[in-house]
Amino acid sequence: MTEVIVMPDRPDWPGWGPTDQPPPSFDEAPGEPVSEERRTIVLDWTVNEYVARGWRLESRSPTQAIMTQGDPVNHVLHAILTIFTCLLWGIVWVVIAATSKQQRVSLTVDRTGHVAVVQSPV
């Protein structure tokens, strides 16, 4: 007999998932400039928080990261399907294009270690 173990969607294990506290290595005085290494640590922590919430990392530098959530619509595939189905697939294509959402966020760490979050249109 095989035992099936079901894993929860979001486990409540310690250290798993997003936290609301700053990284432990960030203990500089507020408003004081921080080193490049500390800025990278803060960005790492922020990126991990976004990844734990379902975002994907699109690009990254030591003090900036671009995060995305959602998938873009494959318009080429839908155009081909619309042609082969004599425009019937066009209805499905319009619904998918109208309801699909893709979000993009830019995370930038300034000299004082604060993270600026900028939502960008897609």
Side-chain angles (χ1 to χ4, degrees):
M1 174 164 282
T2 306
E3 182 181 344
V4 177
I5 300 173
V6 179
M7 299 296 288
D9 289 337
R10 297 218 180 247
D12 292 329
W13 303 328
W16 182 271
T19 60
D20 294 328
Q21 50 188 325
S25 61
F26 187 68
D27 55 1
E28 299 288 328
E32 295 292 320
V34 295
S35 67
E36 187 79 18
E37 180 182 356
R38 298 268 175 142
R39 290 171 68 189
T40 302
I41 290 170
V42 170
L43 185 61
D44 287 342
W45 175 76
T46 307
V47 166
N48 286 335
E49 291 295 305
Y50 272 82
V51 168
R53 290 182 174 98
W55 291 74
R56 292 184 315 275
L57 180 63
E58 187 173 276
S59 66
R60 166 81 197 256
S61 71
T63 59
Q64 184 179 26
I66 307 294
M67 307 293 295
T68 60
Q69 187 177 38
D71 292 321
V73 177
N74 187 345
H75 292 290
V76 174
L77 172 66
H78 289 291
I80 293 170
L81 289 173
T82 301
I83 291 168
F84 284 131
T85 61
C86 298
L87 304 178
L88 289 176
W89 190 261
I91 298 167
V92 175
W93 184 10
V94 168
V95 170
I96 289 173
T99 59
S100 69
K101 290 184 178 179
Q102 184 181 18
Q103 298 174 329
R104 185 170 284 129
V105 171
S106 171
L107 307 171
T108 306
V109 182
D110 63 11
R111 289 185 212 164
T112 60
H114 295 101
V115 178
V117 179
V118 178
Q119 296 274 349
S120 63
V122 178

